[in-house]
Every structure is written in C-alpha cells, then in structure tokens.
C-alpha cells in the first residue's frame, strides 16, 4: 500500500508557466511534508517544507498548498524556468523523533524554453 | 555550509562480493538515514540511527548491516552482493527534534554490481 501518492508522473511546461504537482497521503500520523528536487545522479535537495498547522507556505517561486482535511498537498512553481527541469519528490514524515521519510513516486518536470 | 559527505561516490563490485559505504553527517546532526534508489524510482528507506542506536528499520535486506559510530558517521555494509543491489545509495542526516525532521541528503554512492 503506497502511503504517499504523487501525480502527475511527468509534466511539460512552457517557460514562464506554472508547474503544479500534487500529493496525497493516508497516514494521519504524518506531520511534516517536504518537497525535494533531484537532478540525475544527484541527491535529493530540500526545496520547501510545511507542517499541517498552516495551509500555505511560499519561498520565492515555490509555494506549498496544504489541505489537512483532504490529506493533500501540492507544489506550485511559478514562472517555471528550464533550470527547474528535474524530478520532484514529495515526502511525508511522522511527528516523532528520527522519523523516516516516505516518498511519492516522483514527477519528472520538463520546462521548455 | 557543510553538507552530508558520502564515500565512495562510485563503486563497482562483482556478484557475491562485499561493499562498505560511508556517510559523514552534517556537523552536530545526530540522526543518519540510509536510502536506496533504483533507476527511475523514489528513494526507499533502509535504516536509520539516532545517537548511535538503530531507530528505525525499513526494507533493508538481511545481507546488509549498518552502524553509527561515536563521531556520528555511519557505515552501510553490504555482503553477498546481487545484481539487484545496483542502485544509488543515499545517506541523509538531521538534527532530531520533536515534530518532524528536516533531512539533508548527501550526493549518493552509485553502486554497480556486475
């Protein structure tokens, strides 16, 4: 049973457009929701993260929207750039010490110039 | 800022050989996680250590073992390697606090088993 479902699997966006990636979770014990950006052959890099006590968090061109009742959260990338082309993973962690990350399947984003 | 260091970055082994992967967490981080990522897949949690004690265990094969040392670095030992063990192995570290941790990933070790 996949605990974190991510969609779409791949996404193509024109330069300057908005990229939207969605995730849904089942386990209500999850208490921390980060997004990672990964380039081929590199480690996942933390982009932005949110806790359930807020509905939205913005950092630069990246925004997380969180819907606790629906158990869904999404990443919005505004003014998408070709350099944003990468694989994006959502993740969820429990609200306890040393919690492991459960990742979504990933979304491959391609931003066309 | 200092990041997570992993060594070696690339490793090629034959079937049935052993391999040791090392992870040096960000200074003052007390928790280390190991993940395995196959081609086109998401990272899968293997095992974690908090203050040198195993804190959680995921889909780690019995052929693998790991430990965290007094300086907080960690080693993943892999024996009787199989072709299917070929993957990227990531280490992540965090400063454990209640309510969820921010995990910072290393650059990974690419293991190829021939």
């Amino acid at each position: 049973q996949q605990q974190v479902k991510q969609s779409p699997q791949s996404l193509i966006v024109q330069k300057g457009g908005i990229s939207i990636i969605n995730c849904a979770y089942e386990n209500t014990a999850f208490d921390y929701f980060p997004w990672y950006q990964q380039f081929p052959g590199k480690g996942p890099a933390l982009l932005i993260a949110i806790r359930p006590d807020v509905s939205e968090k913005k950092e630069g061109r990246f925004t997380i929207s969180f819907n606790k009742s629906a158990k869904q959260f999404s990443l919005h990338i505004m003014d998408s750039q070709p350099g944003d082309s990468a694989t994006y993973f959502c993740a969820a962690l429990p609200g306890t010490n040393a919690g492991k990350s459960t990742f979504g399947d990933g979304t491959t984003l391609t931003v066309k110039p | 800022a200092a990041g997570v260091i992993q060594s070696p970055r690339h490793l090629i082994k034959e079937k049935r050989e052993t391999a040791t992967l090392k992870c040096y967490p960000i200074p003052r981080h007390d928790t280390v996680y190991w993940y395995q990522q196959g081609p086109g897949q998401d990272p899968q949690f293997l095992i974690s250590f908090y203050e040198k004690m195993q804190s959680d265990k995921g889909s780690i094969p019995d052929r693998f073992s790991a430990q965290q040392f007094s300086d907080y670095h960690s080693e993943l030992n892999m024996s009787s390697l199989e072709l299917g063990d070929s993957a990227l192995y990531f280490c992540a570290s965090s400063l454990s606090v209640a309510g969820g941790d921010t995990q910072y990933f290393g650059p990974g070790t690419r293991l190829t088993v021939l």
Side-chain angles (χ1 to χ4, degrees), chain A residues 2-113:
Chain A
Q2 189 171 8
Q3 294 199 53
V4 179
K5 295 182 180 180
Q6 184 172 345
S7 63
Q9 188 176 19
S10 62
L11 181 62
I12 299 175
V13 174
Q14 289 294 130
K15 179 182 175 182
I18 302 174
S19 304
I20 302 174
I21 305 171
N22 301 299
C23 282
Y25 64 97
E26 291 294 327
N27 190 346
T28 55
F30 288 143
D31 194 50
Y32 184 66
F33 303 87
W35 283 91
Y36 289 91
Q37 178 190 57
Q38 186 177 30
F39 294 102
K42 305 293 186 182
L46 179 68
L47 267 180
I48 186 172
I50 197 168
R51 297 189 192 279
D53 54 345
V54 296
S55 60
E56 186 175 283
K57 183 175 181 180
K58 183 176 180 179
E59 290 183 2
R61 296 185 294 110
F62 302 95
T63 300
I64 299 180
S65 297
F66 190 87
N67 185 330
K68 187 175 181 178
S69 60
K71 293 187 284 187
Q72 295 175 349
F73 57 110
S74 60
L75 175 69
H76 292 62
I77 305 175
M78 313 300 288
D79 187 26
S80 299
Q81 300 296 312
D84 296 331
S85 298
T87 299
Y88 293 80
F89 291 98
C90 64
L93 291 79
T96 55
N97 286 354
K100 65 183 181 186
S101 294
T102 299
F103 287 84
D105 283 343
T107 296
T108 301
L109 171 65
T110 302
V111 181
K112 289 187 174 289

Side-chain angles (χ1 to χ4, degrees), chain B residues 3-7 22-26 71-75 91:
Chain B
V4 176
I5 297 172
Q6 290 187 247
S7 68
K22 296 185 179 182
C23 169
Y24 298 87
I26 292 172
D71 64 351
Y72 294 101
H73 94 272
S74 179
E75 294 184 2
C91 169

